[in-house]
Structures are given as C-alpha cells and as structure tokens.
Short mmCIF file of all heavy atoms in Angstrom, two decimals:
data_model
loop_
_atom_site.label_atom_id
_atom_site.label_comp_id
_atom_site.label_asym_id
_atom_site.label_seq_id
_atom_site.Cartn_x
_atom_site.Cartn_y
_atom_site.Cartn_z
N MET A 5 85.04 168.30 119.48
CA MET A 5 84.55 169.51 120.12
C MET A 5 84.65 169.41 121.64
O MET A 5 85.02 170.36 122.29
CB MET A 5 83.11 169.76 119.66
CG MET A 5 82.49 170.98 120.29
SD MET A 5 83.29 172.46 119.69
CE MET A 5 82.07 173.65 120.05
N GLU A 6 84.32 168.23 122.18
CA GLU A 6 84.37 168.05 123.63
C GLU A 6 85.79 168.21 124.15
O GLU A 6 86.01 168.80 125.21
CB GLU A 6 83.83 166.68 124.00
CG GLU A 6 83.66 166.47 125.49
CD GLU A 6 83.00 165.15 125.81
OE1 GLU A 6 82.07 164.75 125.10
OE2 GLU A 6 83.45 164.52 126.79
N LYS A 7 86.77 167.72 123.39
CA LYS A 7 88.17 167.87 123.79
C LYS A 7 88.58 169.34 123.80
O LYS A 7 89.33 169.78 124.67
CB LYS A 7 89.09 167.08 122.86
CG LYS A 7 89.06 165.60 123.08
CD LYS A 7 90.06 164.90 122.19
CE LYS A 7 90.00 163.41 122.42
NZ LYS A 7 91.01 162.70 121.64
N LYS A 8 88.09 170.09 122.82
CA LYS A 8 88.42 171.51 122.72
C LYS A 8 87.86 172.26 123.93
O LYS A 8 88.55 173.09 124.52
CB LYS A 8 87.86 172.08 121.42
CG LYS A 8 88.32 173.48 121.12
CD LYS A 8 87.64 173.98 119.85
CE LYS A 8 88.58 174.67 118.94
NZ LYS A 8 87.93 175.21 117.75
N VAL A 9 86.63 171.96 124.29
CA VAL A 9 86.00 172.62 125.44
C VAL A 9 86.77 172.29 126.72
O VAL A 9 87.07 173.19 127.52
CB VAL A 9 84.51 172.23 125.57
CG1 VAL A 9 83.91 172.73 126.87
CG2 VAL A 9 83.72 172.75 124.38
N SER A 10 87.11 171.03 126.91
CA SER A 10 87.88 170.63 128.09
C SER A 10 89.23 171.32 128.12
O SER A 10 89.70 171.75 129.18
CB SER A 10 88.09 169.11 128.09
OG SER A 10 86.86 168.45 128.23
N TYR A 11 89.85 171.44 126.96
CA TYR A 11 91.15 172.12 126.87
C TYR A 11 91.01 173.59 127.25
O TYR A 11 91.82 174.12 128.02
CB TYR A 11 91.71 171.98 125.46
CG TYR A 11 93.00 172.72 125.27
CD1 TYR A 11 94.19 172.21 125.78
CD2 TYR A 11 93.04 173.95 124.62
CE1 TYR A 11 95.39 172.90 125.64
CE2 TYR A 11 94.22 174.64 124.47
CZ TYR A 11 95.40 174.11 124.99
OH TYR A 11 96.57 174.81 124.85
N ILE A 12 90.00 174.26 126.73
CA ILE A 12 89.81 175.68 127.03
C ILE A 12 89.55 175.89 128.52
O ILE A 12 90.08 176.83 129.12
CB ILE A 12 88.70 176.29 126.14
CG1 ILE A 12 89.19 176.35 124.69
CG2 ILE A 12 88.30 177.67 126.64
CD1 ILE A 12 88.13 176.75 123.68
N ILE A 13 88.79 175.01 129.14
CA ILE A 13 88.57 175.10 130.59
C ILE A 13 89.88 174.95 131.33
O ILE A 13 90.16 175.70 132.28
CB ILE A 13 87.53 174.05 131.03
CG1 ILE A 13 86.14 174.42 130.50
CG2 ILE A 13 87.50 173.91 132.56
CD1 ILE A 13 85.11 173.33 130.62
N ALA A 14 90.72 174.02 130.90
CA ALA A 14 92.03 173.82 131.53
C ALA A 14 92.91 175.06 131.34
O ALA A 14 93.62 175.47 132.27
CB ALA A 14 92.71 172.59 130.97
N VAL A 15 92.86 175.65 130.17
CA VAL A 15 93.66 176.86 129.89
C VAL A 15 93.22 178.00 130.80
O VAL A 15 94.06 178.73 131.36
CB VAL A 15 93.55 177.27 128.40
CG1 VAL A 15 94.08 178.67 128.18
CG2 VAL A 15 94.31 176.27 127.53
N ILE A 16 91.93 178.17 130.99
CA ILE A 16 91.42 179.22 131.88
C ILE A 16 91.95 179.00 133.29
O ILE A 16 92.41 179.95 133.95
CB ILE A 16 89.88 179.26 131.86
CG1 ILE A 16 89.37 179.73 130.49
CG2 ILE A 16 89.35 180.18 132.97
CD1 ILE A 16 87.89 179.53 130.28
N SER A 17 91.92 177.78 133.74
CA SER A 17 92.42 177.45 135.08
C SER A 17 93.91 177.74 135.21
O SER A 17 94.36 178.34 136.19
CB SER A 17 92.14 175.98 135.38
OG SER A 17 92.66 175.62 136.63
N GLU A 18 94.68 177.33 134.23
CA GLU A 18 96.13 177.59 134.24
C GLU A 18 96.43 179.09 134.19
O GLU A 18 97.32 179.58 134.87
CB GLU A 18 96.82 176.88 133.07
CG GLU A 18 96.80 175.38 133.17
CD GLU A 18 97.71 174.84 134.27
OE1 GLU A 18 98.75 175.46 134.56
OE2 GLU A 18 97.35 173.80 134.83
N PHE A 19 95.67 179.82 133.37
CA PHE A 19 95.84 181.27 133.27
C PHE A 19 95.53 181.92 134.62
O PHE A 19 96.26 182.81 135.07
CB PHE A 19 94.93 181.83 132.17
CG PHE A 19 95.16 183.27 131.86
CD1 PHE A 19 96.12 183.65 130.94
CD2 PHE A 19 94.42 184.26 132.48
CE1 PHE A 19 96.34 184.99 130.64
CE2 PHE A 19 94.62 185.60 132.20
CZ PHE A 19 95.59 185.97 131.28
N ALA A 20 94.47 181.46 135.25
CA ALA A 20 94.08 182.00 136.56
C ALA A 20 95.19 181.79 137.59
O ALA A 20 95.57 182.72 138.30
CB ALA A 20 92.79 181.33 137.04
N GLN A 21 95.74 180.58 137.63
CA GLN A 21 96.82 180.29 138.58
C GLN A 21 98.05 181.14 138.31
O GLN A 21 98.67 181.66 139.23
CB GLN A 21 97.20 178.81 138.52
CG GLN A 21 96.17 177.90 139.13
CD GLN A 21 96.57 176.44 139.03
OE1 GLN A 21 97.57 176.09 138.40
NE2 GLN A 21 95.77 175.58 139.63
N ALA A 22 98.39 181.29 137.04
CA ALA A 22 99.59 182.04 136.68
C ALA A 22 99.49 183.52 137.05
O ALA A 22 100.50 184.17 137.31
CB ALA A 22 99.88 181.89 135.19
N HIS A 23 98.25 184.03 137.07
CA HIS A 23 98.06 185.45 137.33
C HIS A 23 97.34 185.73 138.65
O HIS A 23 96.86 186.84 138.87
CB HIS A 23 97.29 186.09 136.16
CG HIS A 23 98.09 186.12 134.89
ND1 HIS A 23 99.18 186.95 134.72
CD2 HIS A 23 97.98 185.40 133.76
CE1 HIS A 23 99.69 186.75 133.52
NE2 HIS A 23 98.98 185.81 132.92
N THR A 24 97.29 184.73 139.51
CA THR A 24 96.66 184.85 140.82
C THR A 24 95.24 185.42 140.72
O THR A 24 94.89 186.40 141.37
CB THR A 24 97.53 185.72 141.77
OG1 THR A 24 98.90 185.38 141.61
CG2 THR A 24 97.14 185.47 143.22
N LEU A 25 94.46 184.79 139.87
CA LEU A 25 93.05 185.15 139.70
C LEU A 25 92.21 183.92 140.03
O LEU A 25 92.72 182.81 140.02
CB LEU A 25 92.77 185.53 138.24
CG LEU A 25 93.59 186.66 137.62
CD1 LEU A 25 93.35 186.71 136.11
CD2 LEU A 25 93.22 187.99 138.26
N ASN A 26 90.93 184.15 140.29
CA ASN A 26 90.06 182.97 140.36
C ASN A 26 89.60 182.67 138.94
O ASN A 26 89.81 183.46 138.02
CB ASN A 26 88.91 183.16 141.36
CG ASN A 26 87.93 184.24 140.97
OD1 ASN A 26 87.53 184.37 139.81
ND2 ASN A 26 87.51 185.04 141.95
N SER A 27 88.97 181.53 138.74
CA SER A 27 88.59 181.11 137.39
C SER A 27 87.62 182.07 136.73
O SER A 27 87.72 182.32 135.53
CB SER A 27 87.99 179.70 137.43
OG SER A 27 88.97 178.77 137.79
N GLN A 28 86.71 182.62 137.50
CA GLN A 28 85.74 183.56 136.93
C GLN A 28 86.43 184.84 136.46
O GLN A 28 86.12 185.36 135.38
CB GLN A 28 84.66 183.89 137.96
CG GLN A 28 83.51 184.71 137.39
CD GLN A 28 82.41 184.94 138.40
OE1 GLN A 28 82.66 184.96 139.59
NE2 GLN A 28 81.21 185.12 137.91
N GLN A 29 87.36 185.35 137.24
CA GLN A 29 88.11 186.54 136.84
C GLN A 29 88.92 186.26 135.58
O GLN A 29 88.97 187.09 134.66
CB GLN A 29 89.05 186.99 137.95
CG GLN A 29 88.36 187.55 139.16
CD GLN A 29 89.32 187.73 140.32
OE1 GLN A 29 90.19 186.89 140.58
NE2 GLN A 29 89.16 188.82 141.05
N ALA A 30 89.57 185.11 135.53
CA ALA A 30 90.37 184.75 134.36
C ALA A 30 89.47 184.64 133.12
O ALA A 30 89.83 185.14 132.05
CB ALA A 30 91.11 183.44 134.60
N TYR A 31 88.33 183.99 133.27
CA TYR A 31 87.39 183.85 132.15
C TYR A 31 86.97 185.22 131.62
O TYR A 31 87.01 185.46 130.41
CB TYR A 31 86.17 183.04 132.58
CG TYR A 31 85.07 183.05 131.55
CD1 TYR A 31 85.15 182.21 130.44
CD2 TYR A 31 83.99 183.91 131.67
CE1 TYR A 31 84.15 182.24 129.47
CE2 TYR A 31 83.00 183.94 130.71
CZ TYR A 31 83.08 183.11 129.61
OH TYR A 31 82.11 183.14 128.64
N ARG A 32 86.57 186.11 132.52
CA ARG A 32 86.12 187.44 132.08
C ARG A 32 87.25 188.22 131.41
O ARG A 32 87.03 188.91 130.41
CB ARG A 32 85.56 188.22 133.27
CG ARG A 32 84.18 187.73 133.70
CD ARG A 32 83.48 188.69 134.63
NE ARG A 32 84.31 189.07 135.77
CZ ARG A 32 84.12 188.65 137.01
NH1 ARG A 32 83.15 187.84 137.30
NH2 ARG A 32 84.92 189.07 137.97
N TYR A 33 88.46 188.12 131.95
CA TYR A 33 89.61 188.81 131.36
C TYR A 33 89.89 188.27 129.96
O TYR A 33 90.05 189.04 129.00
CB TYR A 33 90.84 188.62 132.26
CG TYR A 33 92.08 189.30 131.75
CD1 TYR A 33 92.35 190.63 132.07
CD2 TYR A 33 93.00 188.63 130.95
CE1 TYR A 33 93.49 191.26 131.61
CE2 TYR A 33 94.14 189.25 130.49
CZ TYR A 33 94.38 190.57 130.82
OH TYR A 33 95.51 191.18 130.35
N LEU A 34 89.93 186.94 129.83
CA LEU A 34 90.21 186.32 128.53
C LEU A 34 89.10 186.62 127.53
O LEU A 34 89.38 186.80 126.34
CB LEU A 34 90.42 184.82 128.69
CG LEU A 34 91.69 184.42 129.44
CD1 LEU A 34 91.67 182.93 129.76
CD2 LEU A 34 92.93 184.80 128.65
N LEU A 35 87.88 186.70 127.99
CA LEU A 35 86.77 187.04 127.11
C LEU A 35 86.89 188.50 126.66
O LEU A 35 86.79 188.80 125.46
CB LEU A 35 85.44 186.82 127.84
CG LEU A 35 84.17 187.03 127.04
CD1 LEU A 35 84.09 186.04 125.88
CD2 LEU A 35 82.95 186.90 127.94
N ARG A 36 87.14 189.39 127.60
CA ARG A 36 87.21 190.83 127.29
C ARG A 36 88.35 191.17 126.32
O ARG A 36 88.19 191.99 125.42
CB ARG A 36 87.39 191.62 128.58
CG ARG A 36 87.48 193.11 128.35
CD ARG A 36 87.52 193.88 129.62
NE ARG A 36 87.57 195.30 129.33
CZ ARG A 36 87.62 196.23 130.25
NH1 ARG A 36 87.60 195.92 131.52
NH2 ARG A 36 87.67 197.50 129.91
N TYR A 37 89.50 190.54 126.52
CA TYR A 37 90.67 190.88 125.71
C TYR A 37 90.96 189.85 124.61
O TYR A 37 92.06 189.76 124.10
CB TYR A 37 91.89 191.10 126.61
CG TYR A 37 91.66 192.26 127.54
CD1 TYR A 37 91.47 192.07 128.90
CD2 TYR A 37 91.56 193.56 127.04
CE1 TYR A 37 91.23 193.14 129.76
CE2 TYR A 37 91.32 194.63 127.88
CZ TYR A 37 91.15 194.41 129.23
OH TYR A 37 90.89 195.48 130.06
N LYS A 38 89.92 189.12 124.25
CA LYS A 38 89.91 188.22 123.09
C LYS A 38 90.82 187.00 123.19
O LYS A 38 91.14 186.36 122.20
CB LYS A 38 90.19 189.00 121.81
CG LYS A 38 89.20 190.15 121.59
CD LYS A 38 89.38 190.80 120.26
CE LYS A 38 88.53 192.02 120.02
NZ LYS A 38 87.26 192.13 120.64
N GLY A 39 91.23 186.67 124.40
CA GLY A 39 92.06 185.48 124.61
C GLY A 39 91.33 184.19 124.28
O GLY A 39 91.93 183.25 123.75
N LEU A 40 90.04 184.13 124.60
CA LEU A 40 89.27 182.92 124.30
C LEU A 40 89.13 182.73 122.80
O LEU A 40 89.19 181.60 122.30
CB LEU A 40 87.91 182.95 124.99
CG LEU A 40 87.95 182.92 126.51
CD1 LEU A 40 86.55 183.02 127.09
CD2 LEU A 40 88.66 181.68 127.02
N GLU A 41 88.95 183.82 122.07
CA GLU A 41 88.90 183.73 120.60
C GLU A 41 90.22 183.20 120.06
O GLU A 41 90.24 182.39 119.14
CB GLU A 41 88.62 185.10 119.99
CG GLU A 41 87.22 185.61 120.19
CD GLU A 41 87.01 187.00 119.60
OE1 GLU A 41 87.72 187.37 118.64
OE2 GLU A 41 86.16 187.72 120.14
N PHE A 42 91.31 183.67 120.64
CA PHE A 42 92.64 183.24 120.23
C PHE A 42 92.82 181.74 120.42
O PHE A 42 93.25 181.03 119.50
CB PHE A 42 93.70 184.01 121.04
CG PHE A 42 95.11 183.57 120.79
CD1 PHE A 42 95.82 184.06 119.72
CD2 PHE A 42 95.73 182.67 121.64
CE1 PHE A 42 97.13 183.65 119.47
CE2 PHE A 42 97.04 182.26 121.42
CZ PHE A 42 97.73 182.75 120.33
N VAL A 43 92.45 181.24 121.60
CA VAL A 43 92.61 179.81 121.87
C VAL A 43 91.70 178.99 120.95
O VAL A 43 92.12 177.94 120.44
CB VAL A 43 92.30 179.48 123.35
CG1 VAL A 43 92.29 177.99 123.59
CG2 VAL A 43 93.31 180.13 124.26
N ASP A 44 90.51 179.47 120.72
CA ASP A 44 89.59 178.75 119.84
C ASP A 44 90.13 178.71 118.41
O ASP A 44 90.19 177.67 117.78
CB ASP A 44 88.22 179.41 119.87
CG ASP A 44 87.20 178.67 119.03
OD1 ASP A 44 87.12 177.43 119.12
OD2 ASP A 44 86.47 179.33 118.28
N LYS A 45 90.59 179.85 117.93
CA LYS A 45 91.07 179.95 116.55
C LYS A 45 92.35 179.14 116.32
O LYS A 45 92.51 178.50 115.28
CB LYS A 45 91.31 181.42 116.20
CG LYS A 45 91.73 181.65 114.77
CD LYS A 45 91.83 183.13 114.45
CE LYS A 45 92.21 183.35 113.00
NZ LYS A 45 92.27 184.76 112.65
N TYR A 46 93.25 179.17 117.29
CA TYR A 46 94.55 178.52 117.13
C TYR A 46 94.67 177.25 117.97
O TYR A 46 95.79 176.81 118.27
CB TYR A 46 95.67 179.50 117.46
CG TYR A 46 95.69 180.67 116.52
CD1 TYR A 46 95.26 181.93 116.93
CD2 TYR A 46 96.08 180.51 115.20
CE1 TYR A 46 95.25 183.00 116.05
CE2 TYR A 46 96.07 181.57 114.31
CZ TYR A 46 95.65 182.82 114.75
OH TYR A 46 95.63 183.88 113.88
N TYR A 47 93.56 176.64 118.28
CA TYR A 47 93.55 175.42 119.09
C TYR A 47 94.49 174.36 118.53
O TYR A 47 95.24 173.73 119.27
CB TYR A 47 92.12 174.87 119.19
CG TYR A 47 92.06 173.48 119.77
CD1 TYR A 47 92.19 173.27 121.14
CD2 TYR A 47 91.88 172.37 118.94
CE1 TYR A 47 92.14 171.99 121.67
CE2 TYR A 47 91.83 171.08 119.47
CZ TYR A 47 91.97 170.90 120.83
OH TYR A 47 91.93 169.64 121.36
N ASP A 48 94.46 174.16 117.22
CA ASP A 48 95.28 173.12 116.59
C ASP A 48 96.76 173.27 116.92
O ASP A 48 97.47 172.27 117.05
CB ASP A 48 95.10 173.11 115.08
CG ASP A 48 93.70 172.65 114.66
OD1 ASP A 48 93.01 172.04 115.50
OD2 ASP A 48 93.32 172.92 113.52
N ILE A 49 97.21 174.49 117.07
CA ILE A 49 98.62 174.75 117.39
C ILE A 49 98.82 174.79 118.90
O ILE A 49 99.71 174.15 119.44
CB ILE A 49 99.09 176.08 116.76
CG1 ILE A 49 99.00 176.01 115.25
CG2 ILE A 49 100.49 176.44 117.23
CD1 ILE A 49 99.12 177.33 114.54
N GLU A 50 97.98 175.57 119.58
CA GLU A 50 98.17 175.82 121.01
C GLU A 50 98.10 174.54 121.84
O GLU A 50 98.84 174.40 122.81
CB GLU A 50 97.14 176.83 121.52
CG GLU A 50 97.34 178.24 120.98
CD GLU A 50 98.62 178.90 121.45
OE1 GLU A 50 98.91 178.89 122.66
OE2 GLU A 50 99.35 179.44 120.59
N HIS A 51 97.25 173.60 121.48
CA HIS A 51 97.12 172.40 122.31
C HIS A 51 98.34 171.48 122.23
O HIS A 51 98.48 170.57 123.02
CB HIS A 51 95.82 171.64 122.00
CG HIS A 51 95.92 170.64 120.90
ND1 HIS A 51 95.83 170.99 119.58
CD2 HIS A 51 96.13 169.30 120.94
CE1 HIS A 51 95.97 169.90 118.85
NE2 HIS A 51 96.15 168.86 119.64
N THR A 52 99.26 171.77 121.30
CA THR A 52 100.49 171.00 121.22
C THR A 52 101.59 171.58 122.10
O THR A 52 102.64 170.96 122.26
CB THR A 52 101.01 170.91 119.77
OG1 THR A 52 101.40 172.21 119.32
CG2 THR A 52 99.95 170.33 118.84
N LEU A 53 101.35 172.76 122.66
CA LEU A 53 102.33 173.44 123.49
C LEU A 53 102.09 173.15 124.97
O LEU A 53 101.02 172.71 125.36
CB LEU A 53 102.24 174.96 123.25
CG LEU A 53 102.41 175.44 121.82
CD1 LEU A 53 102.15 176.94 121.74
CD2 LEU A 53 103.79 175.11 121.29
N SER A 54 103.08 173.49 125.78
CA SER A 54 102.90 173.36 127.23
C SER A 54 101.93 174.45 127.70
O SER A 54 101.77 175.49 127.04
CB SER A 54 104.24 173.53 127.95
OG SER A 54 104.69 174.88 127.84
N PHE A 55 101.29 174.20 128.84
CA PHE A 55 100.39 175.22 129.38
C PHE A 55 101.16 176.51 129.69
O PHE A 55 100.64 177.60 129.54
CB PHE A 55 99.68 174.72 130.64
CG PHE A 55 98.49 173.86 130.34
CD1 PHE A 55 98.45 172.55 130.78
CD2 PHE A 55 97.40 174.35 129.64
CE1 PHE A 55 97.35 171.75 130.52
CE2 PHE A 55 96.30 173.55 129.36
CZ PHE A 55 96.28 172.25 129.81
N GLU A 56 102.40 176.37 130.10
CA GLU A 56 103.23 177.55 130.37
C GLU A 56 103.36 178.42 129.11
O GLU A 56 103.21 179.64 129.16
CB GLU A 56 104.61 177.12 130.86
CG GLU A 56 105.51 178.28 131.25
CD GLU A 56 106.84 177.79 131.80
OE1 GLU A 56 106.83 177.01 132.78
OE2 GLU A 56 107.88 178.19 131.22
N ASP A 57 103.62 177.78 127.98
CA ASP A 57 103.73 178.52 126.71
C ASP A 57 102.39 179.12 126.30
O ASP A 57 102.34 180.25 125.80
CB ASP A 57 104.24 177.61 125.60
CG ASP A 57 105.71 177.26 125.75
OD1 ASP A 57 106.45 177.99 126.48
OD2 ASP A 57 106.14 176.25 125.15
N VAL A 58 101.32 178.39 126.52
CA VAL A 58 99.99 178.89 126.15
C VAL A 58 99.63 180.10 127.00
O VAL A 58 99.12 181.10 126.49
CB VAL A 58 98.92 177.78 126.28
CG1 VAL A 58 97.53 178.34 126.04
CG2 VAL A 58 99.20 176.66 125.30
N VAL A 59 99.91 180.03 128.29
CA VAL A 59 99.63 181.17 129.18
C VAL A 59 100.45 182.38 128.74
O VAL A 59 99.94 183.50 128.70
CB VAL A 59 99.91 180.79 130.66
CG1 VAL A 59 99.93 182.04 131.55
CG2 VAL A 59 98.87 179.80 131.16
N GLU A 60 101.69 182.16 128.37
CA GLU A 60 102.53 183.26 127.88
C GLU A 60 101.96 183.85 126.59
O GLU A 60 101.87 185.07 126.45
CB GLU A 60 103.95 182.75 127.65
CG GLU A 60 104.94 183.83 127.28
CD GLU A 60 106.34 183.28 127.13
OE1 GLU A 60 106.77 182.48 127.99
OE2 GLU A 60 107.02 183.66 126.15
N ASP A 61 101.55 182.98 125.67
CA ASP A 61 100.93 183.46 124.42
C ASP A 61 99.68 184.28 124.71
O ASP A 61 99.47 185.35 124.14
CB ASP A 61 100.55 182.28 123.51
CG ASP A 61 101.73 181.58 122.88
OD1 ASP A 61 102.87 182.11 122.97
OD2 ASP A 61 101.52 180.49 122.30
N LEU A 62 98.83 183.76 125.59
CA LEU A 62 97.59 184.46 125.93
C LEU A 62 97.85 185.79 126.60
O LEU A 62 97.18 186.78 126.32
CB LEU A 62 96.73 183.59 126.84
CG LEU A 62 95.89 182.53 126.17
CD1 LEU A 62 95.23 181.65 127.20
CD2 LEU A 62 94.84 183.17 125.27
N THR A 63 98.81 185.81 127.51
CA THR A 63 99.15 187.04 128.21
C THR A 63 99.59 188.11 127.21
O THR A 63 99.14 189.25 127.25
CB THR A 63 100.25 186.78 129.26
OG1 THR A 63 99.77 185.79 130.18
CG2 THR A 63 100.59 188.05 130.02
N ASP A 64 100.47 187.73 126.28
CA ASP A 64 100.94 188.66 125.26
C ASP A 64 99.81 189.11 124.35
O ASP A 64 99.68 190.30 124.04
CB ASP A 64 102.06 188.03 124.42
CG ASP A 64 103.34 187.81 125.19
OD1 ASP A 64 103.52 188.44 126.27
OD2 ASP A 64 104.17 187.00 124.74
N TYR A 65 98.98 188.17 123.92
CA TYR A 65 97.88 188.49 123.01
C TYR A 65 96.88 189.44 123.67
O TYR A 65 96.47 190.44 123.07
CB TYR A 65 97.18 187.20 122.57
CG TYR A 65 96.14 187.43 121.51
CD1 TYR A 65 96.50 187.58 120.18
CD2 TYR A 65 94.80 187.50 121.84
CE1 TYR A 65 95.55 187.80 119.20
CE2 TYR A 65 93.84 187.71 120.88
CZ TYR A 65 94.21 187.86 119.56
OH TYR A 65 93.27 188.08 118.60
N CYS A 66 96.52 189.14 124.91
CA CYS A 66 95.57 190.00 125.62
C CYS A 66 96.17 191.39 125.87
O CYS A 66 95.45 192.40 125.76
CB CYS A 66 95.15 189.36 126.94
SG CYS A 66 94.09 187.91 126.74
N ARG A 67 97.45 191.46 126.16
CA ARG A 67 98.10 192.75 126.36
C ARG A 67 98.02 193.59 125.08
O ARG A 67 97.76 194.79 125.13
CB ARG A 67 99.56 192.55 126.78
CG ARG A 67 100.19 193.84 127.29
CD ARG A 67 101.61 193.69 127.83
NE ARG A 67 101.79 192.53 128.70
CZ ARG A 67 102.63 191.53 128.42
NH1 ARG A 67 103.37 191.54 127.34
NH2 ARG A 67 102.74 190.51 129.25
N ARG A 68 98.20 192.95 123.93
CA ARG A 68 98.09 193.67 122.65
C ARG A 68 96.66 194.15 122.37
O ARG A 68 96.46 195.05 121.57
CB ARG A 68 98.59 192.80 121.50
CG ARG A 68 100.09 192.60 121.49
CD ARG A 68 100.61 192.00 120.19
NE ARG A 68 100.03 190.72 119.87
CZ ARG A 68 100.52 189.53 120.23
NH1 ARG A 68 101.63 189.49 120.96
NH2 ARG A 68 99.94 188.41 119.87
N ASN A 69 95.70 193.53 123.06
CA ASN A 69 94.30 193.92 122.90
C ASN A 69 93.81 194.77 124.06
O ASN A 69 92.60 194.90 124.28
CB ASN A 69 93.42 192.66 122.75
CG ASN A 69 93.56 192.07 121.37
OD1 ASN A 69 93.17 192.69 120.40
ND2 ASN A 69 94.13 190.89 121.28
N GLY A 70 94.73 195.34 124.83
CA GLY A 70 94.35 196.28 125.90
C GLY A 70 94.44 195.75 127.31
O GLY A 70 94.20 196.49 128.25
N GLY A 71 94.74 194.48 127.48
CA GLY A 71 94.86 193.90 128.82
C GLY A 71 96.09 194.43 129.54
O GLY A 71 97.06 194.83 128.91
N ALA A 72 96.04 194.39 130.86
CA ALA A 72 97.13 194.97 131.65
C ALA A 72 97.95 193.94 132.42
O ALA A 72 98.93 194.31 133.06
CB ALA A 72 96.55 196.00 132.63
N LEU A 73 97.58 192.67 132.36
CA LEU A 73 98.35 191.67 133.10
C LEU A 73 99.70 191.43 132.44
O LEU A 73 99.81 191.44 131.23
CB LEU A 73 97.60 190.34 133.17
CG LEU A 73 96.30 190.33 133.97
CD1 LEU A 73 95.63 188.97 133.88
CD2 LEU A 73 96.57 190.68 135.43
N VAL A 74 100.70 191.22 133.26
CA VAL A 74 102.06 190.98 132.77
C VAL A 74 102.46 189.56 133.02
O VAL A 74 102.18 188.97 133.98
CB VAL A 74 103.06 191.95 133.44
CG1 VAL A 74 104.46 191.70 132.95
CG2 VAL A 74 102.65 193.38 133.19
#
C-alpha cells in the first residue's frame, strides 16, 4: 500500500509538470475527472509503464470524463 501511495504522488507530480500545473491543481483535476480512480484501479498495469505513458493514459482518460487538458 505504501508503494502505491508513493507511486500515485509521483504520478500527480509528473502530470502537473506535463501540463504546467502545480501539484494541487493536478490533484484536483485528476480527482474531478476520475484520474486518481483510474491509477488506483489499474495500478498493477500502470506502474510497469513509463511516466510519459501514464501521463498520456491519464490525459486521455480524464478527457473522456469531461476534462479539457490536451
């Protein structure tokens, strides 16, 4: 569980950098558009990918849930 939490924190940071957001903005965006649920649910798969791929997956998933970031 501790590894999962650390991973999710790292993903939020990487997502923030990729989209020029601060960590709090990235967290709220991922929470609102279900990105955090996605990472939690698919952790077993996502943590084997590069952060670049995970950010791309999250961006696409959040967009399908109403998010506007590209």
Side-chain angles (χ1 to χ4, degrees):
M5 179 68 160
E6 188 175 320
K7 285 184 181 184
K8 189 184 224 183
V9 171
S10 295
Y11 177 76
I12 290 172
I13 291 168
V15 166
I16 292 168
S17 178
E18 292 290 328
F19 188 86
Q21 288 179 354
H23 292 289
T24 318
L25 303 169
N26 65 43
S27 293
Q28 188 176 27
Q29 290 169 320
Y31 171 80
R32 286 194 308 253
Y33 181 88
L34 292 170
L35 184 63
R36 180 174 182 181
Y37 298 110
K38 303 187 185 329
L40 294 178
E41 288 178 27
F42 175 84
V43 173
D44 183 46
K45 184 175 181 178
Y46 297 107
Y47 168 78
D48 292 342
I49 297 166
E50 292 293 311
H51 88 277
T52 65
L53 304 174
S54 69
F55 279 119
E56 184 177 303
D57 288 340
V58 174
V59 167
E60 186 177 315
D61 288 350
L62 278 173
T63 302
D64 292 342
Y65 187 80
C66 289
R67 192 175 316 118
R68 289 192 302 269
N69 284 294
L73 294 177
V74 179

